[in-house]
Amino acid sequence: MATLAINADNAALVWGGAWDRGFKWSLNTECMICQGLYSQIAFTATGTALTINYDVAGTVVLKASVDGGAEATLTNGSVNEFTSVTVFTGLDDVAHTVVIRVTGATVANLFLAFTNVLTVTGAAPAFAAPTGTGPVYPASALRGLGGVDGLWCYQQNPIFSPGYSYPAILATSSVSVWPCTDSQVRFRSNATSLKLFLYRPATGAGSIKVFQDGTAVGGVLACPTVGGADMNWWEFVAGLDGAYHNYTVVVVGNVGCYLVNIMTVGGVIDFATTYPRNRGAIGGIGDSITVGTSGTSGDSTLSFLYKLAVAKNRPSYNGGVGSAYLCSGIVGQVGTSMRYTDITHGSPTTTFDFVVCLIGVNDIALSSNPPPTTGFQACYQNMLQGIRRNVGPSCKILALGILDTSNAKAGPLRDTYNGLISAAVTAMSDANTSYVDTDDWITPATDCTDGIHPTSAGYDKIVTELSPLITTWQADTDPGKANVATGNDYVFGGVSQTAAYPTTATSKAEQLQDDKDAITAGKADILDTRTILTIQGTYDLAAEQAAQFAAGQADQLATDQAAVEAVAGSIYDGVTNLLGTVDGTLTAASIATEVWAYENRTVTA
């Protein structure tokens, strides 16, 4: 029998979960340090026996499954000592698929030896990657790297706070993500299938939706639950064509799942080609209408916020919370169920250009006693002030009025409380905070499921109304501003300068006219054989060449004439009109005189 040992960076090993390459100083050994509960290693080992080399302390439990069988608990070695622990022995000398998982109450102090981490014994020992696997990428590493632009939020919701049901994996924020509605990561890949290493809380109903080049693939996919509290690899999309596409993985629903790794089976993530960049994010603050799942069968990507962000090529932050109130019952206090202070919990590189506030209907529809008018206005103003502190002075805040509703309690009070929202905006005295009248945006009888929550079609109407408001305002020094219609986009230096391209008939016509005016102003420099936006150039290349040739000829003739004129005294006066202007001035008499003088010269011996 022979043995084969491999290091932790061997291509046969598929690492799932949270692992860091590090060093255990007390033992002077390079190692792989586990950072997350339920992390795992998967591989294929050919042989009769297998060992894994690790050091462990505390209550860490390693379990191994061989060829899909039941997990068996490994016997930990001595504390503060790297030990080769048996994974299996006495098996047939064939290829065995092995998954080793980290379980137990904690992951503290688990170190896998980097060198010779696994050793297999057999007649021809070998390691290989399991069938159906591919390169693994940490989801956290995709935020902002290599042209990839994803927005993941670290929400600190009091109901689902870090430590509630998955403490170990969430202890290090750089390891995994705690997503809320519409959290997303974007990448470019040529994979044939996508697998996600994720965890779904037993208390939640998190779902994933995958988009390929903007089109949903597979619909809403429920995150599986394994034993109520496990994390594992799950294949969400298969049968892809293997060509490069832009992918967006979105968490839909009000309770998320925890995504740690992405596996691209049959391909890689392309970091060399720039993924289409997003501009500043659009944030949403509100209740279940903002969440967008109540009237869309749980699919928040059909809500106004996600659709608006996609239309404007921007990331979105969905800060909606179902059944959220604006007021907590105390005058001027913003409801604690809201996430308005979480608007900055997104990607560190993400800035917000817009925040859309749609809140207040629950205060008048669900409360036994609607809040007093002074208290409601104070609450709304405090919310706006809190948002402004978080997003900075240049972000545009849109305070939407409560939507039309057929709710028996909210309907009669809507106009009154919308007036209070408008008053709160006025009191802000903030040029970048605006009240938005939502009258007649939707028809509750046909656009809502219950008179309050819009359907997908209802959300489309909201997007239509909001879209013109997501525009650009440029500083006077911005390059290119003079040739770009207000509210429209332009590119300078290869970088998109915020806002959106014209989408309405009016804005398209305005931009077209501006473009035509710019072309008309410069048409003298455009070939007369070219027509751009119906405007023909007036530059006649043939005529210009002929004119330049003629000018060159005239200049050369004048030079030559001057040169001949300078020697006219040496040219017989019988020669005239040389080069059209020069006559010779040398006469016969002067020639005879010169000849006589020559013949009668005195020769000195």
Side-chain angles (χ1 to χ4, degrees):
M1 288 291 186
T3 60
L4 174 65
I6 61 171
N7 296 340
D9 60 352
N10 192 284
L13 303 183
V14 178
W15 297 85
W19 299 92
D20 284 338
R21 184 172 177 175
F23 203 87
K24 185 161 186 181
W25 294 102
S26 61
L27 296 178
N28 194 33
T29 302
E30 189 175 13
C31 57
M32 297 295 291
I33 305 171
C34 184
Q35 298 284 8
L37 198 60
Y38 311 127
S39 295
Q40 65 172 240
I41 321 168
F43 55 92
T44 297
T46 299
T48 61
L50 176 73
T51 61
I52 181 170
N53 187 13
Y54 67 95
D55 172 44
V56 66
T59 58
V60 175
V61 177
L62 290 184
K63 293 184 178 182
S65 170
V66 180
D67 296 327
E71 289 185 326
T73 301
L74 304 186
T75 302
N76 293 340
S78 301
V79 176
N80 203 34
E81 179 181 330
F82 281 94
T83 306
S84 290
V85 174
T86 297
V87 178
F88 66 74
T89 187
L91 298 184
D92 292 339
D93 196 356
V94 296
H96 301 283
T97 300
V98 182
V99 178
I100 300 175
R101 293 196 316 128
V102 182
T103 64
T106 178
V107 296
N109 302 315
L110 171 60
F111 308 93
L112 304 187
F114 184 84
T115 303
N116 298 334
V117 63
L118 291 165
T119 301
V120 65
T121 300
F127 287 94
T131 302
T133 60
V136 175
Y137 304 88
S140 58
L142 296 184
R143 297 193 304 272
L145 286 182
V148 179
D149 198 351
L151 176 63
W152 289 91
C153 58
Y154 301 109
Q155 70 181 53
Q156 305 297 320
N157 188 299
I159 301 175
F160 295 100
S161 60
Y164 175 73
S165 58
Y166 196 47
I169 198 71
L170 293 175
T172 305
S173 62
S174 64
V175 169
S176 67
V177 288
W178 180 281
C180 62
T181 306
D182 294 347
S183 295
Q184 59 189 264
V185 66
R186 312 179 76 188
F187 55 94
R188 180 174 175 80
S189 177
N190 61 340
T192 55
S193 76
L194 296 178
K195 294 183 178 181
L196 307 178
F197 193 79
L198 54 80
Y199 163 81
R200 168 187 169 184
T203 54
S207 300
I208 291 287
K209 196 169 184 179
V210 179
F211 291 85
Q212 182 192 75
D213 297 329
T215 301
V217 182
V220 177
L221 309 165
C223 299
T225 301
V226 179
D230 282 348
M231 176 170 275
N232 216 325
W233 285 109
W234 301 101
E235 184 175 62
F236 279 83
V237 181
L240 302 175
D241 61 12
Y244 275 103
H245 298 282
N246 298 323
Y247 290 96
T248 304
V249 180
V250 186
V251 176
V252 300
N254 205 12
V255 217
C257 50
Y258 312 109
L259 173 64
V260 182
N261 305 118
I262 295 175
M263 180 189 294
T264 54
V265 180
V268 297
I269 288 181
D270 177 15
F271 290 100
T273 303
T274 301
Y275 186 93
R277 299 294 299 182
N278 279 325
R279 288 157 283 183
I282 303 174
I285 298 298
D287 47 39
S288 56
I289 298 176
T290 297
V291 174
T293 56
S294 296
T296 60
S297 300
D299 187 354
S300 61
T301 65
L302 300 179
S303 69
F304 80 86
L305 190 64
Y306 187 82
K307 288 180 176 178
L308 185 66
V310 170
K312 299 298 184 179
N313 192 25
R314 297 174 180 270
S316 61
Y317 172 92
N318 193 324
V321 177
S323 301
Y325 289 78
L326 173 68
C327 301
S328 292
I330 301 174
V331 174
Q333 181 176 338
V334 176
T336 55
S337 62
M338 291 179 58
R339 288 200 204 102
Y340 81 99
T341 56
D342 288 348
I343 202 71
T344 55
H345 288 178
S347 166
T349 60
T350 299
T351 57
F352 288 89
D353 281 351
F354 298 89
V355 173
V356 180
C357 304
L358 181 54
I359 186 76
V361 68
N362 288 334
D363 292 73
I364 56 177
L366 301 182
S367 300
S368 55
N369 293 302
T373 55
T374 53
F376 185 88
Q377 180 177 331
C379 282
Y380 208 102
Q381 189 172 340
N382 286 347
M383 177 191 71
L384 294 176
Q385 291 171 343
I387 295 171
R388 176 58 70 205
R389 284 192 297 269
N390 284 349
V391 300
S394 62
C395 175
K396 194 79 168 178
I397 300 175
L398 304 176
L400 272 59
I402 298 169
L403 297 171
D404 285 304
T405 175
S406 58
N407 179 271
K409 291 181 64 176
L413 297 173
R414 175 178 172 269
D415 288 346
T416 298
Y417 281 81
N418 279 351
L420 299 175
I421 295 174
S422 178
V425 170
T426 300
M428 284 284 289
S429 298
D430 181 346
N432 282 331
T433 300
S434 305
Y435 171 72
V436 180
D437 187 346
T438 59
D439 285 353
D440 301 322
W441 278 20
I442 60 173
T443 303
T446 56
D447 297 328
C448 297
T449 57
D450 54 5
I452 291 181
H453 297 98
T455 62
S456 178
Y459 279 125
D460 286 340
K461 291 184 177 182
I462 296 173
V463 171
T464 298
E465 298 292 344
L466 275 176
S467 187
L469 304 180
I470 307 300
T471 56
T472 294
W473 56 102
Q474 309 288 351
D476 290 339
T477 55
D478 277 357
K481 178 183 176 182
N483 293 327
V484 180
T486 302
N488 298 329
D489 193 17
Y490 66 94
V491 175
F492 178 77
V495 179
S496 182
Q497 303 294 319
T498 70
Y501 286 98
T503 57
T504 66
T506 300
S507 61
K508 287 179 179 179
E510 180 185 6
Q511 186 65 64
L512 178 60
Q513 188 57 52
D514 277 7
D515 293 342
K516 286 184 174 181
D517 290 345
I519 294 170
T520 299
K523 67 180 181 180
D525 297 320
I526 300 172
L527 288 173
D528 58 2
T529 57
R530 298 291 304 276
T531 299
I532 303 175
L533 296 182
T534 71
I535 299 168
Q536 186 175 5
T538 59
Y539 183 80
D540 188 334
L541 178 61
E544 182 66 20
Q545 289 176 329
Q548 293 296 329
F549 182 77
Q553 283 184 315
D555 290 343
Q556 186 61 57
L557 179 61
T559 299
D560 294 344
Q561 287 174 336
V564 175
E565 183 70 38
V567 296
S570 301
I571 300 173
Y572 180 55
D573 61 0
V575 178
T576 61
N577 203 32
L578 287 173
L579 297 180
T581 59
V582 181
D583 296 334
T585 59
L586 180 62
T587 64
S590 63
I591 293 175
T593 301
E594 291 293 332
V595 171
W596 181 89
Y598 178 78
E599 291 175 345
N600 293 280
R601 67 186 185 282
T602 301
V603 179
T604 303

